């Protein structure tokens, strides 16, 4: 038997069965009407019972294949968990970043990053303010510096400003002197230069060239060492500089980030708002800039 013959017979058989079913329902309906009209409701009750049982069986089958409510609930919970997870994947620092960006946008020139990797722009200039001592700082930092130094005196401490703005020649002079000192100790020029760069920045890479940085110590102390952190005058500066817009630019535990070992004497002006933000969030200027995406 070929395929065409098979389908022809199948169709014929289906038609026959259909006819039989139709005939059965016709007869059944006639029987139902006849009995009901005669006041015999047994066929009607039987029909209704069969229909009810049929509906129950169908709903039972549907329920078997339908996921139950608990499962549905679990699915909802799963979706919720997934939403939480994707929220977690969202940048956890987004608020901090936004605050950081807002502060930066207001004070870009004060928040300039200068370090071993990032040098000053070639054409960098600033409005200079000459202090009584002859030291020069950026005019933008002057009022707050004046207030800080006065508050220091009022608190009974005495300070010395060791270094403020340095021009390129001064920075080069510091490098040359340091190299010479190491060479006098027997190091080769190359070794001496390498050794020098451990503590001194190359020309164009020192914060002192910005006019926003100052080295401050207690009056009469001229050697700069980490021990200064336990000096009472220095403690006053470390504890109070934030309120005047300064930060301890090279903190103790952040040398791996700043690239410079702890300098409790080096203060950098960034403006009061940025200083408070950075101190509150324990951020170096490098970290502040990475939050900006720089
Ligand atoms: Zn310094």
């Amino acid at each position: 038997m070929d395929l065409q013959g098979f389908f022809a017979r199948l169709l014929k058989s289906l038609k026959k069965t259909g006819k039989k079913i139709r005939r059965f329902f016709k007869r059944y309906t006639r029987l139902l009407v006849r009995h009901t009209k005669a006041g015999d409701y047994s066929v009607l009750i039987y029909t209704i019972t069969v229909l009810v049982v049929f509906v129950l069986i169908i709903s039972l089958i549907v329920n078997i294949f339908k996921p139950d409510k608990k499962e549905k609930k679990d699915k909802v919970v799963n979706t919720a968990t997934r939403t939480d997870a994707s929220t977690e994947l969202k940048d956890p620092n987004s608020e901090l970043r936004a605050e950081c960006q807002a502060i930066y946008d207001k004070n870009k020139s004060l928040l300039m990053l200068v370090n071993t990797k990032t040098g000053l722009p070639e054409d960098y200039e600033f409005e200079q303010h000459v202090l009584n001592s002859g030291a020069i700082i950026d005019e933008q930092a002057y009022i707050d510096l004046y207030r800080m130094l006065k508050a220091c005196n009022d608190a009974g401490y005495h300070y010395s400003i060791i270094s403020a703005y340095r021009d390129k020649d001064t920075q080069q002079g510091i490098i040359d002197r340091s190299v010479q000192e190491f060479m006098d100790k027997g190091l080769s020029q190359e070794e001496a230069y390498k050794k020098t760069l451990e503590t001194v920045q190359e020309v164009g890479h020192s914060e002192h060239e910005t006019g926003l940085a100052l080295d401050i110590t207690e009056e009469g102390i001229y050697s700069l060492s980490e021990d200064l952190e336990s000096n009472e005058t220095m403690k006053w500066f470390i504890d109070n500089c934030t309120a005047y817009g300064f930060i301890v630019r090279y903190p103790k535990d952040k040398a791996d980030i700043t690239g410079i070992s702890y300098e409790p004497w080096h203060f950098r002006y960034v403006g009061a708002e940025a200083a408070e933000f950075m101190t509150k969030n324990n951020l170096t200027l490098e970290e502040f800039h990475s939050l900006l995406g720089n």
Side-chain angles (χ1 to χ4, degrees):
M1 185 170 57
D2 63 358
L3 206 63
Q4 207 176 352
F6 169 76
F7 279 113
R9 286 186 66 161
L10 184 70
L11 202 67
K12 215 173 167 185
S13 162
L14 280 173
K15 273 182 183 171
K16 256 187 188 174
T17 314
K19 265 184 190 169
K20 275 183 184 168
I21 291 172
R22 268 209 309 278
R23 218 178 293 147
F24 168 77
F25 275 107
K26 260 186 187 170
R27 279 188 196 158
Y28 187 84
T29 312
R30 252 184 263 144
L31 185 78
L32 177 68
V33 172
R34 203 166 56 232
H35 279 259
T36 310
K37 271 186 177 171
D40 175 9
Y41 297 104
S42 61
V43 179
L44 182 64
I45 291 165
Y46 172 78
T47 308
I48 291 169
T49 309
V50 167
L51 281 175
V52 168
V53 169
F54 180 75
V55 167
L56 283 175
I57 289 169
I58 292 294
S59 80
L60 187 76
I61 291 167
V62 168
N63 274 329
I64 287 170
F65 293 103
K66 208 169 78 177
D68 67 14
K69 274 184 186 169
K70 194 188 170 299
E71 232 174 277
K72 249 189 189 174
K73 212 174 166 188
D74 285 350
K75 267 190 182 168
V76 173
V77 171
N78 280 342
T79 321
T81 316
R82 265 206 303 281
T83 315
D84 285 350
S86 62
T87 313
E88 268 171 36
L89 285 176
K90 257 172 55 185
D91 180 5
N93 286 330
S94 59
E95 274 180 37
L96 203 63
R97 275 182 213 283
E99 204 181 332
C100 186
Q101 189 67 54
I103 291 170
Y104 180 67
D105 290 343
K106 276 188 263 174
N107 310 281
K108 273 183 188 161
S109 65
L110 296 180
L111 287 159
M112 176 183 15
L113 180 66
V114 174
N115 57 21
T116 311
K117 281 187 209 152
T118 313
L120 268 176
E122 278 293 324
D123 55 354
Y124 179 71
E125 276 181 347
F126 66 94
E127 201 180 329
Q128 301 191 351
H129 187 107
V130 185
L131 303 172
N132 290 339
S133 62
I136 294 169
I137 60 149
D138 189 318
E139 180 65 44
Q140 297 178 92
Y142 173 64
I143 299 287
D144 280 337
L145 175 67
Y146 173 82
R147 287 173 56 237
M148 178 168 75
L149 297 178
K150 187 176 180 306
C152 174
N153 277 157
D154 291 348
Y157 299 106
H158 302 280
Y159 60 83
S160 284
I161 291 174
I162 302 294
S163 180
Y165 167 66
R166 291 179 206 146
D167 58 19
K168 285 179 182 174
D169 292 343
T170 313
Q171 188 66 18
Q172 188 61 57
I174 292 172
I175 294 169
D176 294 345
R177 266 198 306 283
S178 170
V179 170
Q180 191 56 53
E181 274 172 30
F182 283 122
M183 284 169 71
D184 290 347
K185 284 177 187 165
L187 267 66
S188 71
Q189 189 169 11
E190 202 184 328
E191 286 166 339
Y193 190 70
K194 221 176 140 188
K195 196 89 184 139
T196 293
L197 291 188
E198 285 177 14
T199 52
V200 184
Q201 295 285 343
E202 281 186 288
V203 174
H205 290 263
S206 168
E207 273 219 322
H208 285 278
E209 292 172 73
T210 65
L212 295 166
L214 294 146
D215 293 338
I216 306 176
T217 61
E218 185 178 283
E219 194 175 32
I221 296 178
Y222 298 99
S223 78
L224 304 176
S225 77
E226 289 192 14
D227 299 341
L228 281 173
E229 72 169 339
S230 49
N231 174 284
E232 290 302 318
T233 304
M234 297 316 295
K235 273 189 194 168
W236 186 91
F237 278 108
I238 293 166
D239 292 344
N240 294 282
C241 67
T242 303
Y244 300 95
F246 287 85
I247 54 166
V248 176
R249 176 67 177 88
Y250 307 115
K252 200 176 204 166
D253 52 346
K254 302 268 182 142
D256 53 333
I257 295 165
T258 62
I260 307 272
S261 52
Y262 183 36
E263 291 194 357
W265 62 85
H266 181 109
F267 297 91
R268 161 68 191 265
Y269 188 68
V270 288
E273 197 184 359
E276 302 243 342
F277 175 78
M278 289 163 78
T279 305
K280 189 178 84 188
N281 294 294
N282 188 28
L283 298 172
T284 60
L285 196 54
E286 278 77 13
E287 290 167 303
F288 183 91
H289 276 266
S290 6
L291 272 176
L292 292 170
N294 293 346

